[in-house]
Amino acid sequence: MDKPLTVGILGAGTMGTGIATVTARAGHRTILRDLTEAAVQAGVGRVRQFLDKSVELGKMPAEQRDAAAAGLTGTTGLDDLAECDIVVEAVFEDVALKAELFGRLDDICAPTTLFHTNTSTLSVTAIAAGSSRPERVVGTHYCNPAPLMRLVEVARARQTSDEAYHATTEFLAGLGKVTVTTRDTPGFIVNRFLIPFENDCIRALEAGLGTVESIDQAVTRGLGHPMGPFTLLDIVGLEIHRAVSLSLYEQLRDARFAPPPLVEQMVAAGHLGRKTGRGFYTYDEPRMFGT
Ligand SMILES: NC(=O)c1ccc[n+]([C@@H]2O[C@H](COP(=O)([O-])OP(=O)(O)OC[C@H]3O[C@@H](n4cnc5c(N)ncnc54)[C@H](O)[C@@H]3O)[C@@H](O)[C@H]2O)c1
């Protein structure tokens, strides 16, 4: 890394804490922001837990963990992001909320600060329109779990400048990420393939083609995927899968994106995956990041 930056993360949920883990681990000063003290503390705790586990598994030297933990702080105040070189938003999938937050940050951050959005399905161009510096807004779609998955899709808004785009890909390379550049289009590349595939697997389960275990095995052993669709869905969260599916279905009007009835039932029952201890599989205790 050339020089440690100050990185603000908006949202201490699944993705915000995952991305905060990645930036803190890379040596950047990281400020995690959520709306309540409880959410902030829980998020900071999950990052620390992941770092500790990495040391325990021999994947990270203790000194790196200590430096990452020392560089990580949490806050509920947007003003605390004033010194950030980059702000990554990972709040709810709501275009008005994301656009409004960047608009508020215009008055708080330096004019040079880059704004990254981790949206999965929304228009980066529409989010950028909320800022008075839309040329500095870039879509950076991390894969879940962010600390473990190397790919980040980079989506340029129509307004994104070449300079902001290049600074973004350089920053992501410094985090150890592999980037692919995609058009600002619903679902980018990964979710345009992944969501219909996962919905097909769920429909196959509903139709009795196989069990959760046998379909996962067929996909890992037969297709060479690193994990089966149901293992992955449990990590992502069924309510997230439902929201992403619906958003893409509404925008693309293609039935392959419509969430199958089983997804609706599981969400209604609170069987959201690892985070609730039960999804397609059951877990002894709720877990994050697939650790
Ligand atoms: N979960 C995934 O697999 C995944 C993968 C890639 C991208 N994404 C995208 O990342 C974003 C976040 O998803 P998630 O799964 O982490 O959601 P999440 O619900 O786990 O977390 C969202 C967090 O944002 C917080 N928040 C809401 N408004 C805020 C504000 N004004 N300021 C600060 N924090 C605020 C919420 O309190 C919550 O803690 C979404 O845009 C989603 O589409 C999700």
Side-chain angles (χ1 to χ4, degrees), residues 13-15 33-34 90-93 98 118 120 141-142 144:
T14 306
M15 294 309 293
R33 193 252 176 173
D34 209 301
V91 300
F92 300 137
E93 187 75 335
K98 291 172 188 286
N118 186 49
S120 306
H141 182 237
Y142 292 73
N144 184 13

Side-chain angles (χ1 to χ4, degrees), residues 5 10 95 135 166 181 200:
L5 301 177
L10 293 175
V95 70
E135 71 284 354
H166 289 302
T181 299
D200 275 347

Side-chain angles (χ1 to χ4, degrees), residues 89 91-101 119 121-122 127:
E89 78 72 19
V91 300
F92 300 137
E93 187 75 335
D94 176 333
V95 70
L97 172 66
K98 291 172 188 286
E100 189 241 350
L101 277 170
T119 182
T121 62
L122 303 171
I127 294 168

Side-chain angles (χ1 to χ4, degrees), residues 4-56:
L5 301 177
T6 300
V7 181
I9 314 279
L10 293 175
T14 306
M15 294 309 293
T17 49
I19 297 165
T21 306
V22 173
T23 56
R25 183 172 68 184
H28 297 299
R29 188 179 156 224
T30 299
I31 309 171
L32 188 57
R33 193 252 176 173
D34 209 301
L35 298 173
T36 64
E37 199 53 45
V40 170
Q41 288 316 319
V44 168
R46 281 198 299 275
V47 176
R48 295 223 166 103
Q49 204 183 348
F50 184 88
L51 295 170
D52 288 343
K53 186 91 182 173
S54 302
V55 174
E56 207 180 297

Side-chain angles (χ1 to χ4, degrees), residues 223-252:
L223 299 179
H225 290 209
M227 66 175 77
F230 300 115
T231 303
L232 178 60
L233 282 160
D234 275 1
I235 291 174
V236 168
L238 270 292
E239 87 292 13
I240 301 289
H241 175 75
R242 178 180 178 276
V244 170
S245 294
L246 275 179
S247 175
L248 291 177
Y249 177 58
E250 278 160 16
Q251 294 178 78
L252 300 167

Side-chain angles (χ1 to χ4, degrees), residues 64-133:
Q64 189 184 356
R65 182 262 324 266
D66 295 344
L72 173 72
T73 53
T75 183
T76 55
L78 209 54
D79 289 343
D80 289 333
L81 304 187
E83 286 174 18
C84 289
D85 300 291
I86 298 177
V87 176
V88 186
E89 78 72 19
V91 300
F92 300 137
E93 187 75 335
D94 176 333
V95 70
L97 172 66
K98 291 172 188 286
E100 189 241 350
L101 277 170
F102 284 160
R104 286 171 64 194
L105 285 170
D106 285 336
D107 297 330
I108 294 171
C109 298
T112 48
T113 301
L114 284 169
F115 294 160
H116 288 171
T117 171
N118 186 49
T119 182
S120 306
T121 62
L122 303 171
S123 161
V124 180
T125 298
I127 294 168
S131 169
S132 58
R133 60 181 85 171

